[in-house]
Amino acid sequence: MKKIFLILFLSTLFFACEKDKDNDKDPAPELAAQVAGTYKVSELRVDGTNEPLNGAIITVHLDKFSAEVVTAKMKIKADGVSEPDEDLGTLTLKNAGSIGIDIYEGTDKVGSVKSNKLNFFVVFEGQELEMIADKQ
């Protein structure tokens, strides 16, 4: 009988001391914190065709608004002259798993971020514009 109590006691200690692996995991940073920052455009495509930037510097700045929402502004400097900032509004973020983080304006998907690379696309004056930018 003593052996049974000893086995029960030891097994209780074993299971009581085992770490809860789910509690050891650090929570993932908020989506907005992951994508917030300044991105410098390295490629510009108009209707699927690469267009040279010709020395123009285009940056997109994403600021955290809430856990899953960012505000966006685009800055353009061409021929040494800065254009007024373009307010891109409030954008909602959704986790897309291994694909990265998708960016939505309302219900329309307008971009994604993966591995510090922003891919942003819009239709402007009937043309499809796509910008690919790297986080600075």
Side-chain angles (χ1 to χ4, degrees):
M1 189 70 152
K2 286 183 182 180
K3 288 183 181 181
I4 293 174
F5 284 123
L6 181 61
I7 291 171
L8 286 173
F9 177 72
L10 290 176
S11 64
T12 303
L13 280 177
F14 176 74
F15 288 111
C17 293
E18 185 178 332
K19 280 188 161 184
D20 185 2
K21 294 177 183 176
D22 291 337
N23 288 338
D24 287 347
K25 293 180 183 175
D26 292 330
E30 296 174 335
L31 296 178
Q34 292 180 51
V35 303
T38 301
Y39 296 81
K40 184 177 178 183
V41 174
S42 57
E43 291 181 51
L44 175 65
R45 295 184 186 138
V46 178
D47 291 330
T49 303
N50 283 344
E51 293 291 330
L53 294 174
N54 294 330
I57 299 170
I58 303 171
T59 57
V60 177
H61 190 76
L62 303 178
D63 282 319
K64 178 182 171 185
F65 183 77
S66 68
E68 296 179 352
V69 176
V70 292
T71 57
K73 287 189 179 178
M74 183 170 59
K75 298 179 180 195
I76 300 172
K77 187 174 185 178
D79 298 324
V81 178
S82 295
E83 299 291 326
D85 293 355
E86 181 70 32
D87 186 5
L88 302 177
T90 303
L91 306 171
T92 305
L93 308 171
K94 293 186 181 177
N95 191 342
S98 63
I99 297 171
I101 299 171
D102 288 338
I103 303 171
Y104 289 86
E105 182 178 33
T107 58
D108 297 329
K109 182 177 173 183
V110 294
S112 63
V113 175
K114 182 178 182 184
S115 302
N116 292 326
K117 193 171 252 337
L118 171 68
N119 191 354
F120 200 73
F121 40 87
V122 294
V123 175
F124 180 72
E125 294 182 357
Q127 294 181 314
E128 292 180 18
L129 302 175
E130 180 179 10
M131 293 179 279
I132 299 168
D134 298 306
K135 193 169 191 177
Q136 301 297 295

